Structures are given as structure tokens and as C-alpha cells.
Amino acid sequence: MPAVRFGLLLVGALAALAPFYYMVVGALQEQRDASPLGLLPRPGNLTLANFAEINASVDLLRSLLNSVVMTAGVVGCTLVFGLLVGYALAVLSFRGQGLVFALVLLVQAIPFQLLMVPLYVMVVRYFGLADTYTGMVLPFAINSVAVLIFRQYFVQIPRDVFDAARLDGAGELRILRSIAVPLVRPAVLTAMLVTFIGPWNEFLWPFLITKQPDMQPLAVSLANFSQTNGILLQNPVGAVLAGACVLAVPVVLLFVLFQRQFTSADLGSSVKG
Amino acid sequence: MRTERSTPPRSGPLAEARPHVEGTSPGATSAELPPTTGPTTGPTTGPSAPPPRRLPRGRRLQRWLGENPLGVVLSAPYVAFVVVVFLVPFGFGLWMSVHDFFFTAPGVAVPHPFVGAENFREVLSDPLVRQAFLNLLVYLVINIPLTLALGLALATALQAVVRGRTSFRVAYYIPYVTASVATLAVWIFAFSGNGVVNSLLGGLSPEPSWLANRSLIMPLIAVYVTWKNLGFFVLLLVAGLHNIPTERYEAASIDGANAWQRFRDVTLPGLRPVISLVVLLSIIITGQLFTEPYLLTGGGPDGASMTPALLMYQEGIQQGKPDVAAAVGVLLVLGVMVLALLSRRVTERES
């Protein structure tokens, strides 16, 4: 029985990881080899040329830069404004507090499908933010899951800590910066990681609002490349897979390095609500 | 950093003055008083409290705003964000679906007359829309049982195994954190007509091939999404397993239950809330299917992998009929809500 169990888990892990293995193998093939033998890296057919090809076709660095700017914008806004509202919800007491907390929960229930078209009309037509970083960041600017994580951790700090700081004459912003945030550093890391994945992987929204190639994040430029002009290259599939590696590696690395932070709080917030 | 001084801080003198104010003016509530500072500091600073008369206007405003009016300021950016990005578009989308709305050149004001159910009538009479919703049903029938079966199998096995638990969890979770655009590239590579899957299958490979096959494309998308999200659901189920008291398993063993009976009579009932959540989240994910059909097939062949979200993009933004797209969105949200309610009924009743 234990052997069967272990076998099952192993098969599951292989199934989960096999496409990633094939992604790397395919990205390194000089000639596309779709035969079963092509599943193994063959020394004579290995090359880094696909990375050069995709770089020549979509300007990899520029796309990566756009991805980084969009992601950094979201993570930055979430850190600044999310910590502020998380602190207000957990530590302060003010009129409308219940309403603000209700909003944090409500936002998770509003389906994006309904927002897609009106948000596009507003951001592109009314705000004129097509092909801008602001427009890309706006819908994700403050991650509500991160707000919940911040609040959850601030609530766990004993009230006496805050009262003592206030008696010493510290203002709330100073308490937040010098006492509360250092105390919840693990929560800040977790929230940053959880927030990072969304905009880095996001396809639909930046795809809708960026038409200029030099403003598109990597996910969008890669998708556009795979949809249109791959035929001219010697190994277009290999080039797409090379781009896929570049897109996937940062997130997979971050996840493997910090997997503890991902799994604990991500789960806590979604199971316990 | 100046603001922390200029806003009325809830520092010593103000907080300590409260006991006196509270006793004489009827409006104040004792709830505003922090329990720890009040009793200790109140008596010592009593003499410096203001005379018990009407409060100045600023103080009354502060009392109306609550103990820490600063909280309003700190919450303001988030509230503004939610209003601009969620509440206004939500209302705008509903409004759009019952009006004649179309794109105009910037600065041109044109009337958008109320048309009632006209957009919905157009949507419902479109066979492509009906097919898009039917495709989602095909997808759901495969995706949910597959997710539950694989998720339960892996989660219970993971729970029982001692070594390598973390590595397995990491492996399962990696597809979930990776961009769809990246993983779909591999699926296109593997499932294209002359891809490795067909060359492995040889004579058994389907005709027409996977991505061009009307009856295989939605199942393929369902399997892809199951594969991508399974790790997340396994984690949810493992967390649910942790919450089942071990005494129940011991009691079942004493009663002579075998492994299958323990799973059926202890594990499944104990996991019911989490299973309910897994089904609910799967339904919500279903409504958002866009990237997979867009990249794999563009909705084809012949609408066989069209989804409502992809249709909304094509009609609303490519063809310039945002009002029709908004109507599709409203129908989609209603459909997802109905399915979610139905699934709650089913998952909470079964026993």
C-alpha cells in the first residue's frame, strides 16, 4: 500500500513537471524534433539559437522590462496602500471601517468577466491610458488578498504594543512604519510573492490595452508572436518555447525558493476567508 | 511624514481627557476609550481636562469619525481604487447591457438610448453564443470530476506519506504559478498535428488532430486547466484533511472499517466544506476561460472551443459592440451564479 501511494504521488509529480521539461528540451532543439526520440536532448541537435531568434523577433529585454515595470507597479502600490488600509482595518477604529472591510471581501466576489468590457472602455476611451504602464497596473493596483493578509497579521499583534507606542508620543504612521511592519515581515514577504504572480502572468488585460509592441509585457508579446509571424524562422516552435522559458523561469525560481511563504498564507487566507 | 503630527493624534492628553467629557456630554460613548490606557492614566491627568461644556466643532467631527479619524485617510486610496476599478465598471457594465452603446471618436457626444432587452435578444438568438455556453458545460462535466478525483487521490496519498511531502507539494504547485502563455506553448508543441503526442500514438492518433477536432478540443482544454490548477486544489484538500480529527479514523478502525470505508465515511464527510469550495472555484474559473481557447484555437474549429469570455472580446472590442458583449457578460455571471448555487446544494446535501 505505501508503495502504491508513493507511486501515485510520483506519477502526479512527473505529470506536473513533464511539460516544463519538454519546454526546456524543445527550446534547445536546433531542428524541431517531434518524434518520441525528441523527448530526450540529443547532443547533435542542441542550440541556444532559439533564444537569439525570439530576442530578435520580440525584443525580449524590452518585453521583460515592461513585465517588470507592470509587476513592480502592482507590488509597490499593494505594499504602500495595502499596508495603510490593512493597518487601518486591524488597529484603528473609525467610522466606515466595517464598510471598508466589506469592500475587501466583496471585491473577491465580483467576476472579472463583467468588468472586462466596461473597464476597457473606461481605461482606453475615457482615461486615455492605452499603451501606458498606469493603464496596465490600474486594475490590479491593490491586491485585496494581500490586504487581507496584512490585516490578519496586524490583528495578531497585542494591543498593548500600540498603546505603549502612543503613550510614548508616536503618531500612527510612525507606529505603522517602525513597529507594526517590522513585526509582520513574513506577512509582507508572503503578500509580495502572492501579488507578484498575478501581473507577471497576466495575459488578458495587458493584451487588451497594449497595441504598441514596445509597451507589451512578455506574456503578451510572446502570445502575439506565437499567433502570427513564426513561419519565417527556422524553428518557430523552438523560439516560442525559448520565450516561454524566459517567462516561466523567474516565477518558478521565486516559488521554489520561497515555497513556504506561498503555501502557508495563501492557503490560510483562502480557506479561513 | 508631516501628517502624523498635523492630524489630531490619539496621543496622551486627548485620550486621557475623555473620562471627564464622557461623564458630562451625552453624545460620547465609553467604547471610544482604549481599555488599557484609560484606567491607568485617567486619574493622574484629570485636572488638565477641558471644562465640561459643548465640544468645539473639530472635536465633534472627530467623534463622528470615530476614535481614529486617520483610519479614513489611510483607507481612502483603497476605497478609491475599488470604486474606480470594480464598482463603477460593474454598474457601467449593467447599464451598457440595456443601452445602445458604441465607440465614437474622442470628444464626440452621442446619445446612447435605452433599448431594454434588445442586446439580450440579439445575444440569445446568436447560435455562436449558445454554443459558447454549451462548450462551458462540456468543459465542466470533464473538469470538475477530474479535479476532484485526482485532487482527492493526491491529497490523501500526500497526507499518508512521510518523506518527500514538501517536494511533491512544490511539484504539484508549479503549474499553478506559471503563466498560461508559457505552458500553453508546450501544449501546442505537443498536441499539434505532427506533435509528439500523435507520433507516440502512431496509428491511434485522432483524425482530425487534437486542436482541429471538434469533439476533442474542449476536453483537451478541460484536461489542461485541470493539470494547471490541480496543485492549488491539492493544497486546499490537504489543509481540509488536517482539520479532520484523527479520533474519527481511530474509531472507524476499531469498528472494523477498511481503508475504502474510512475514506467514504470519515474523509469525504469531513472534507465536504473544502470539496464545496473546490467545486465553487472551478466554476468561477470556468467562466473566465479566455487564454486557453484564444491561444490554442482562436475559438475554433467552427466555434467548437468558443467561450463566452473570448466571445466578449471578439464582439465587444474587435467588432465594436460593447453593449452586446456586456449582455453576454451579464448572462455569463448569472449562469455562473446559478451553477454555484446548484453546486452548493449538491455538495452540501450529499452524505
Side-chain angles (χ1 to χ4, degrees):
Chain A
M1 190 60 192
V4 174
R5 210 181 279 138
F6 199 79
L8 176 74
L9 290 172
L10 206 60
V11 169
L14 287 180
L17 297 181
F20 291 90
Y21 165 78
Y22 202 39
M23 187 191 290
V24 176
V25 170
L28 294 174
Q29 285 177 352
E30 191 168 3
Q31 294 286 332
R32 185 182 172 190
D33 184 357
S35 70
L37 265 182
L39 287 169
L40 300 169
R42 272 192 302 127
N45 196 21
L46 289 182
T47 177
L48 286 174
N50 291 320
F51 289 88
E53 295 269 31
I54 189 72
N55 189 31
S57 305
V58 302
D59 194 352
L60 218 50
L61 272 184
R62 178 77 208 184
S63 302
L64 270 175
L65 177 75
N66 293 334
S67 287
V68 167
V69 171
M70 179 185 170
T71 308
V74 172
V75 172
C77 284
T78 298
L79 270 188
V80 174
F81 300 119
L83 277 171
L84 290 181
V85 65
Y87 181 81
L89 286 174
V91 179
L92 304 179
S93 92
F94 57 95
R95 184 164 292 261
Q97 192 169 25
L99 190 69
V100 175
F101 189 57
L103 276 184
V104 181
L105 299 178
L106 178 76
V107 160
Q108 333 251 356
I110 295 185
F112 186 73
Q113 309 90 293
L114 192 59
L115 305 183
M116 178 172 99
V117 172
L119 204 55
Y120 170 83
V121 174
M122 284 168 63
V123 168
V124 172
R125 301 269 160 172
Y126 297 163
F127 303 164
L129 291 175
D131 290 309
T132 63
Y133 293 126
T134 315
M136 278 185 244
V137 169
L138 186 66
F140 313 101
I142 309 178
N143 187 322
S144 292
V145 173
V147 172
L148 278 183
I149 294 174
F150 291 144
R151 178 191 165 273
Q152 200 57 40
Y153 276 75
F154 283 142
V155 161
Q156 287 165 11
I157 302 175
R159 308 289 294 186
D160 303 358
V161 173
F162 300 109
D163 291 330
R166 285 182 193 127
L167 276 183
D168 289 343
E172 295 296 339
L173 282 178
R174 190 171 151 72
I175 297 178
L176 170 63
R177 202 186 48 204
S178 313
I179 297 171
V181 169
L183 280 174
V184 300
R185 202 164 279 153
V188 174
L189 180 60
T190 301
M192 277 175 71
L193 292 167
V194 169
T195 308
F196 172 89
I197 299 179
W200 184 269
N201 290 346
E202 177 65 21
F203 170 69
L204 176 53
W205 179 251
F207 165 74
L208 289 183
I209 72 157
T210 55
K211 292 296 162 237
Q212 293 172 17
D214 64 342
M215 284 304 290
Q216 288 169 343
L218 185 53
V220 177
S221 50
L222 189 61
N224 283 346
F225 172 77
S226 79
Q227 292 287 297
T228 51
N229 49 355
I231 322 107
L232 302 167
L233 299 177
Q234 189 200 7
N235 183 359
V237 184
V240 171
L241 290 176
C245 288
V246 176
L247 181 61
V249 159
V251 176
V252 172
L253 267 186
L254 266 183
F255 172 68
V256 172
L257 285 176
F258 295 104
Q259 54 93 12
R260 201 177 273 271
Q261 272 77 16
F262 270 97
T263 47
S264 57
D266 198 5
L267 270 183
S269 59
S270 48
V271 175
K272 290 164 200 154
Chain B
M1 287 300 98
R2 289 280 167 273
T3 48
E4 62 190 82
R5 302 238 168 87
S6 58
T7 47
R10 213 204 51 172
S11 53
L14 241 170
E16 290 147 11
R18 286 247 170 78
H20 287 258
V21 180
E22 182 192 66
T24 47
S25 70
T29 58
S30 56
E32 288 174 350
L33 203 81
T36 45
T37 53
T40 50
T41 56
T44 53
T45 50
S48 69
R53 264 190 243 129
R54 286 193 69 218
L55 289 167
R57 183 181 277 168
R59 295 279 299 283
R60 267 191 299 164
L61 178 67
Q62 187 196 339
R63 194 130 46 71
W64 185 81
L65 286 172
E67 194 181 341
N68 310 100
L70 184 63
V72 177
V73 180
L74 298 190
S75 307
Y78 179 77
V79 172
F81 163 74
V82 171
V83 168
V84 170
V85 171
F86 291 92
L87 299 186
V88 170
F90 186 81
F92 190 24
L94 291 179
W95 181 88
M96 217 184 252
S97 69
V98 292
H99 287 79
D100 182 19
F101 191 89
F102 44 88
F103 296 133
T104 49
V108 180
V110 282
H112 296 296
F114 177 77
V115 294
E118 186 57 46
N119 294 324
F120 289 93
R121 221 169 288 141
E122 181 177 342
V123 164
L124 288 172
S125 64
D126 183 350
L128 193 56
V129 175
R130 286 203 295 267
Q131 182 166 19
F133 279 96
L134 277 178
N135 288 340
L136 287 194
L137 284 183
V138 172
Y139 165 95
L140 271 177
V141 166
I142 296 164
N143 171 258
I144 288 187
L146 201 60
T147 301
L148 282 181
L150 294 176
L152 283 170
L154 291 178
T156 46
L158 207 53
Q159 177 82 349
V161 87
V162 184
R163 279 201 297 164
R165 201 185 278 184
T166 310
S167 314
F168 283 127
R169 270 211 309 229
V170 169
Y172 302 152
Y173 209 68
I174 282 180
Y176 180 70
V177 295
T178 311
S180 301
V181 175
T183 49
L184 280 168
V186 184
W187 283 65
I188 295 172
F189 183 35
F191 283 94
S192 60
N194 50 1
V196 71
V197 174
N198 277 350
S199 64
L200 280 174
L201 288 174
L204 293 172
S205 52
E207 186 62 42
S209 184
W210 302 91
L211 300 180
N213 193 313
R214 293 185 54 93
S215 46
L216 284 179
I217 184 63
M218 269 336 270
L220 185 68
I221 291 175
V223 169
Y224 166 81
V225 178
T226 308
W227 168 79
K228 181 163 168 49
N229 294 334
L230 192 62
F232 174 67
F233 291 132
V234 166
L235 279 187
L236 284 185
L237 290 165
V238 166
L241 286 174
H242 274 296
N243 291 335
I244 301 177
T246 44
E247 295 89 60
R248 286 200 209 155
Y249 287 102
E250 286 158 11
S253 297
I254 291 167
D255 291 346
N258 62 27
W260 165 250
Q261 285 167 331
R262 284 200 300 273
F263 175 77
R264 194 191 58 195
D265 298 332
V266 180
T267 309
L268 272 189
L271 277 182
R272 202 178 301 156
V274 183
I275 291 177
S276 190
L277 181 67
V278 170
V279 173
L280 179 72
L281 290 176
S282 298
I283 292 173
I284 292 174
I285 290 169
T286 302
Q288 294 171 340
L289 280 181
F290 173 87
T291 311
E292 294 81 5
Y294 176 77
L295 286 181
L296 286 175
T297 60
D302 205 13
S305 62
M306 183 56 75
T307 63
L310 181 54
L311 198 66
M312 284 164 70
Y313 162 70
Q314 291 186 347
E315 299 224 326
I317 293 164
Q318 284 190 315
Q319 299 168 23
K321 294 188 286 186
D323 47 358
V324 175
V328 175
V330 171
L331 289 178
L332 178 59
V333 169
L334 287 177
V336 167
M337 274 169 58
V338 168
L339 277 181
L341 289 176
L342 277 179
S343 82
R344 275 194 65 138
R345 281 250 169 124
V346 173
T347 48
E348 277 171 15
R349 204 180 276 169
E350 80 186 14
S351 54

